[in-house]
Short mmCIF file of all heavy atoms in Angstrom, two decimals:
data_model
loop_
_atom_site.label_atom_id
_atom_site.label_comp_id
_atom_site.label_asym_id
_atom_site.label_seq_id
_atom_site.Cartn_x
_atom_site.Cartn_y
_atom_site.Cartn_z
N ALA A 205 -14.39 6.57 11.24
CA ALA A 205 -13.82 7.09 9.99
C ALA A 205 -12.92 6.03 9.36
O ALA A 205 -12.29 5.23 10.06
CB ALA A 205 -13.01 8.36 10.27
N TYR A 206 -12.85 6.03 8.05
CA TYR A 206 -12.02 5.07 7.33
C TYR A 206 -11.04 5.82 6.43
O TYR A 206 -11.42 6.75 5.72
CB TYR A 206 -12.88 4.14 6.48
CG TYR A 206 -13.69 3.15 7.29
CD1 TYR A 206 -14.92 3.53 7.85
CD2 TYR A 206 -13.24 1.86 7.51
CE1 TYR A 206 -15.66 2.64 8.61
CE2 TYR A 206 -13.98 0.96 8.26
CZ TYR A 206 -15.19 1.35 8.80
OH TYR A 206 -15.92 0.48 9.55
N VAL A 207 -9.79 5.38 6.48
CA VAL A 207 -8.77 5.87 5.55
C VAL A 207 -8.22 4.66 4.82
O VAL A 207 -7.58 3.79 5.42
CB VAL A 207 -7.63 6.61 6.27
CG1 VAL A 207 -6.62 7.14 5.23
CG2 VAL A 207 -8.16 7.75 7.13
N LEU A 208 -8.49 4.57 3.54
CA LEU A 208 -7.97 3.48 2.71
C LEU A 208 -6.77 4.01 1.94
O LEU A 208 -6.83 5.09 1.35
CB LEU A 208 -9.04 2.99 1.73
CG LEU A 208 -10.43 2.68 2.31
CD1 LEU A 208 -11.35 2.16 1.22
CD2 LEU A 208 -10.33 1.70 3.46
N SER A 209 -5.69 3.26 1.95
CA SER A 209 -4.48 3.73 1.29
C SER A 209 -3.81 2.59 0.54
O SER A 209 -3.93 1.42 0.92
CB SER A 209 -3.50 4.31 2.32
OG SER A 209 -2.31 4.74 1.70
N GLY A 210 -3.12 2.93 -0.52
CA GLY A 210 -2.41 1.90 -1.26
C GLY A 210 -1.52 2.49 -2.33
O GLY A 210 -1.63 3.67 -2.68
N SER A 211 -0.64 1.65 -2.84
CA SER A 211 0.28 2.08 -3.90
C SER A 211 -0.46 2.04 -5.23
O SER A 211 -0.45 1.03 -5.94
CB SER A 211 1.51 1.17 -3.92
OG SER A 211 2.21 1.26 -2.70
N MET A 212 -1.11 3.14 -5.53
CA MET A 212 -1.92 3.22 -6.74
C MET A 212 -1.65 4.54 -7.45
O MET A 212 -1.65 5.59 -6.80
CB MET A 212 -3.41 3.13 -6.40
CG MET A 212 -3.86 1.84 -5.75
SD MET A 212 -5.60 1.89 -5.21
CE MET A 212 -5.44 2.74 -3.64
N SER A 213 -1.43 4.46 -8.73
CA SER A 213 -1.33 5.70 -9.50
C SER A 213 -2.75 6.18 -9.77
O SER A 213 -3.73 5.44 -9.60
CB SER A 213 -0.61 5.44 -10.83
OG SER A 213 -1.41 4.65 -11.69
N LEU A 214 -2.87 7.41 -10.20
CA LEU A 214 -4.20 7.96 -10.46
C LEU A 214 -4.90 7.26 -11.63
O LEU A 214 -6.10 7.40 -11.81
CB LEU A 214 -4.09 9.47 -10.75
CG LEU A 214 -3.68 10.33 -9.54
CD1 LEU A 214 -3.47 11.77 -9.97
CD2 LEU A 214 -4.72 10.25 -8.43
N GLN A 215 -4.14 6.47 -12.40
CA GLN A 215 -4.73 5.74 -13.52
C GLN A 215 -5.23 4.36 -13.11
O GLN A 215 -5.83 3.63 -13.90
CB GLN A 215 -3.70 5.57 -14.66
CG GLN A 215 -3.35 6.86 -15.40
CD GLN A 215 -2.39 7.72 -14.60
OE1 GLN A 215 -1.53 7.21 -13.90
NE2 GLN A 215 -2.53 9.03 -14.70
N ASP A 216 -4.99 3.96 -11.86
CA ASP A 216 -5.37 2.62 -11.41
C ASP A 216 -6.89 2.46 -11.45
O ASP A 216 -7.62 3.29 -10.91
CB ASP A 216 -4.85 2.38 -9.99
CG ASP A 216 -4.86 0.92 -9.60
OD1 ASP A 216 -5.92 0.28 -9.74
OD2 ASP A 216 -3.80 0.41 -9.17
N ASN A 217 -7.35 1.37 -12.06
CA ASN A 217 -8.79 1.14 -12.16
C ASN A 217 -9.45 1.00 -10.80
O ASN A 217 -10.65 1.28 -10.66
CB ASN A 217 -9.06 -0.12 -13.00
CG ASN A 217 -8.76 0.08 -14.47
OD1 ASN A 217 -8.80 1.20 -14.96
ND2 ASN A 217 -8.46 -1.00 -15.17
N LEU A 218 -8.70 0.54 -9.80
CA LEU A 218 -9.30 0.35 -8.48
C LEU A 218 -9.80 1.67 -7.91
O LEU A 218 -10.79 1.69 -7.17
CB LEU A 218 -8.28 -0.29 -7.53
CG LEU A 218 -8.80 -0.62 -6.12
CD1 LEU A 218 -9.97 -1.60 -6.20
CD2 LEU A 218 -7.69 -1.18 -5.25
N ILE A 219 -9.14 2.77 -8.24
CA ILE A 219 -9.58 4.07 -7.74
C ILE A 219 -10.98 4.38 -8.22
O ILE A 219 -11.84 4.82 -7.44
CB ILE A 219 -8.59 5.17 -8.16
CG1 ILE A 219 -7.25 4.99 -7.43
CG2 ILE A 219 -9.17 6.56 -7.85
CD1 ILE A 219 -6.21 6.01 -7.79
N SER A 220 -11.23 4.17 -9.50
CA SER A 220 -12.58 4.44 -10.02
C SER A 220 -13.59 3.44 -9.47
O SER A 220 -14.76 3.79 -9.24
CB SER A 220 -12.58 4.40 -11.55
OG SER A 220 -12.19 3.12 -12.03
#
Side-chain angles (χ1 to χ4, degrees):
Y206 289 83
V207 182
L208 311 182
S209 179
S211 298
M212 298 173 278
S213 69
L214 291 174
Q215 290 77 35
D216 196 307
N217 289 335
L218 183 60
I219 292 179
S220 61

